[in-house]
């Protein structure tokens, strides 16, 4: 963390990530209004002292909906990527440390998932299962598995012939000990970096599907649905689109900067030389 905070962009990314996560965790405390409360009389109001970011076409407070939208976006991103990374971690270790036939079978599985276009797969699953939060989590988790599985497999293949692994095998160490104590800690670093840099893509995918009406169901607040509401009333209240786009930019920049700083901090080959 010291290396991350020494990097200006890493520090900026950490601050932005803390802001987004803080809004998601403490939405009940921070949000000034109920995000689902309808007030038709005050619909499509501009920014004011009562509503800092104005209101939408149903009179709902935009700031409150954006804050609760952070909880939805982060919840979907964390759960879906967490599931995909966990399954990919297990399959990647099995492919890299297991027999060749298992490696070939898992590589075929990874390639088969990668061959399916992302949007086409997402639309197909949503049409079959119906739009909703659980469907989005399932779609993102499935499409994330081959990415993380291939990364862990490559790391495992490069480590399985390392001197410390061979020494453990010569001393009669068990497979769970080799995997749990030596392989796992060495593959988690690159995996964490990739996960942190994939979160903006997941947030953008969730917002895009929700914008199209294929994601989170109303009245649950989502940054994509807020963008859609702002687009329908763009001429009468352009502030709604701007307010909905700001958190997407903040989340994207924050996790991207933080991921790059973590990569430089954890990989000695990528550490940048710093001038005093």
């Amino acid at each position: 963390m010291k290396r991350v905070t020494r990097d200006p962009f890493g520090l900026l990314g950490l601050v932005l990530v803390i802001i987004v996560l803080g809004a998601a965790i403490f939405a009940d405390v921070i949000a000034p209004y109920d995000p689902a409360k309808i007030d038709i009389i005050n619909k499509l109001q501009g920014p004011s002292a009562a509503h800092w970011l104005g209101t939408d076409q149903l009179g709902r407070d935009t700031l409150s909906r954006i804050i609760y939208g952070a909880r939805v976006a982060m919840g979907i991103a964390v759960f879906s990527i967490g599931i995909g990374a966990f399954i990919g971690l297990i399959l990647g270790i099995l492919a890299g440390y297991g027999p060749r036939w298992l490696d070939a079978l898992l590589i075929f599985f990874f390639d088969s998932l990668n061959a399916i276009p992302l949007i086409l797969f997402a639309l197909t699953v949503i049409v079959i299962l119906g739009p909703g939060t659980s469907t989005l989590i399932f779609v993102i988790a499935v499409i994330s598995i081959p990415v993380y599985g291939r990364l862990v497999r490559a790391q495992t293949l490069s480590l399985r012939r390392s001197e410390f692994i061979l020494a453990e095998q010569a001393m009669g160490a068990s497979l769970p000990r080799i995997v749990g104590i030596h392989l796992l800690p060495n593959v988690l670093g690159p995996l964490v970096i990739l996960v942190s840099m994939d979160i903006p893509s997941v947030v953008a995918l969730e917002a895009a599907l929700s914008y199209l009406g294929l994601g989170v169901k109303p009245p649950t607040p989502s940054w994509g649905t807020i963008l859609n509401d702002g687009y329908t009333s763009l001429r009468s209240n352009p502030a709604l689109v701007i307010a909905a786009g700001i958190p997407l930019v903040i989340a994207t920049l924050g996790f991207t900067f933080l991921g790059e700083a973590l990569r430089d901090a954890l990989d000695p080959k990528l550490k940048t030389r710093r001038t005093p």
Side-chain angles (χ1 to χ4, degrees):
M1 290 307 298
K2 289 182 180 179
R3 293 172 184 168
V4 171
T5 54
R6 287 173 187 166
D7 185 352
F9 289 102
L11 180 60
L12 175 61
L14 181 62
V15 171
L16 295 179
V17 168
I18 290 175
I19 291 175
V20 175
L21 293 179
I25 296 172
F26 302 105
D28 297 331
V29 179
I30 300 175
Y33 298 95
D34 182 353
K37 183 179 179 181
I38 297 176
D39 186 7
I40 298 296
I41 298 178
N42 294 315
K43 67 178 182 179
L44 297 177
Q45 296 292 317
S48 63
H51 302 280
W52 290 4
L53 296 180
T55 59
D56 62 5
Q57 74 280 6
L58 296 177
R60 297 171 295 190
D61 183 65
T62 303
L63 177 60
S64 300
R65 292 182 59 78
I66 287 176
I67 293 174
Y68 275 90
R71 173 176 290 182
V72 174
M74 290 298 102
I76 292 175
V78 170
F79 277 104
S80 59
I81 290 184
I83 295 172
F86 179 74
I87 298 176
L89 175 65
I90 295 175
L91 297 182
I93 291 178
L94 290 175
Y97 206 79
R100 289 187 176 181
W101 66 266
L102 182 59
D103 183 24
L105 181 63
L106 291 175
I107 287 297
F108 176 76
F109 172 69
F110 294 155
D111 291 341
S112 299
L113 287 179
N114 282 329
I116 304 175
L118 171 60
I119 298 299
L120 179 61
F121 176 74
L123 293 177
T124 303
V125 175
I126 290 172
V127 169
I128 296 174
L129 300 180
T133 303
S134 58
T135 304
L136 278 179
I137 292 176
F138 173 77
V139 169
I140 297 171
V142 170
I143 62 179
S144 301
I145 291 175
V147 178
Y148 302 130
R150 280 188 168 276
L151 173 67
V152 174
R153 173 185 176 271
Q155 293 292 322
T156 303
L157 287 174
S158 64
L159 290 169
R160 66 178 299 176
R161 296 302 178 187
S162 301
E163 294 182 356
F164 64 94
I165 297 292
L166 297 176
E168 285 287 323
Q169 293 175 347
M171 291 187 294
S174 63
L175 180 61
R177 174 181 173 83
I178 294 175
V179 173
I181 296 181
H182 297 287
L183 282 179
L184 193 58
N186 284 282
V187 301
L188 282 179
L191 184 63
V192 169
I193 296 172
L194 183 60
V195 164
S196 64
M197 299 186 73
D198 279 350
I199 289 180
S201 301
V202 175
V203 172
L205 177 61
E206 181 273 325
L209 292 176
S210 298
Y211 176 85
L212 296 174
L214 301 173
V216 179
K217 295 181 180 179
T220 303
S222 169
W223 292 341
T225 56
I226 298 174
L227 273 174
N228 189 20
D229 294 339
Y231 177 76
T232 57
S233 58
L234 182 61
R235 294 185 177 181
S236 57
N237 188 15
L240 187 59
V241 173
I242 298 175
I246 290 175
L248 285 170
V249 175
I250 291 176
T252 300
L253 292 179
F255 283 101
T256 301
F257 288 158
L258 182 60
E260 292 180 351
L262 285 173
R263 180 195 60 188
D264 294 340
L266 295 177
D267 192 340
K269 297 179 181 179
L270 295 176
K271 290 179 184 176
T272 57
R273 295 182 180 180
R274 306 180 186 280
T275 56

